[in-house]
Amino acid sequence: MINDNDVIETLDELETFLRSVEVGGLGLDNVSGVALATNNANGRPFVAVLDDNQQLVLGRYVTTEVFENGKDMVRYGTKKPH
C-alpha cells in the first residue's frame, strides 16, 4: 500500500521513516527489510517495506533527490541510536 499523500521529501524524513520501521513504531508485522524501488505503473520512486516473502507491506513515495541520495541509508540503516 502506497499513499500518494505521504511523500518523503528530505533525507531527514527518510531517516525518521527508516528508524520508525527499525524500532517497530509503525505496528507492522513480519517486516524483513526495506528497499528503494520504482513503481512499474507510473515510474515514481518509493521506499518499500517488505515482509518475509518479499511482498510490499508499506510504501512511501520519495522525491528523485531522496531516491538518488538515500540508497546507502536504506541499504545500511540509519547508524544512529534509536
Side-chain angles (χ1 to χ4, degrees):
M1 170 174 111
I2 301 176
N3 185 338
D4 282 342
N5 297 325
D6 293 333
V7 177
I8 296 173
E9 298 180 344
T10 67
L11 291 176
D12 287 338
E13 290 175 7
L14 177 61
E15 182 177 29
T16 299
F17 178 77
L18 293 174
R19 272 203 237 133
S20 294
V21 171
E22 289 171 359
V23 300
L26 299 176
L28 303 173
D29 292 325
N30 299 322
V31 172
S32 66
V34 292
L36 285 171
T38 304
N39 186 318
N40 290 336
N42 60 20
R44 289 178 68 185
F46 67 100
V47 59
V49 180
L50 306 171
D51 68 9
D52 295 334
N53 296 318
Q54 302 302 308
Q55 298 297 311
L56 181 67
V57 176
L58 178 67
R60 292 283 187 269
Y61 283 115
V62 299
T63 63
T64 302
E65 178 185 343
V66 170
F67 184 77
E68 293 300 323
N69 297 310
K71 292 177 182 177
D72 283 342
M73 191 183 308
V74 170
R75 187 176 294 132
Y76 302 115
T78 60
K79 305 270 194 251
K80 289 190 176 182
H82 302 284

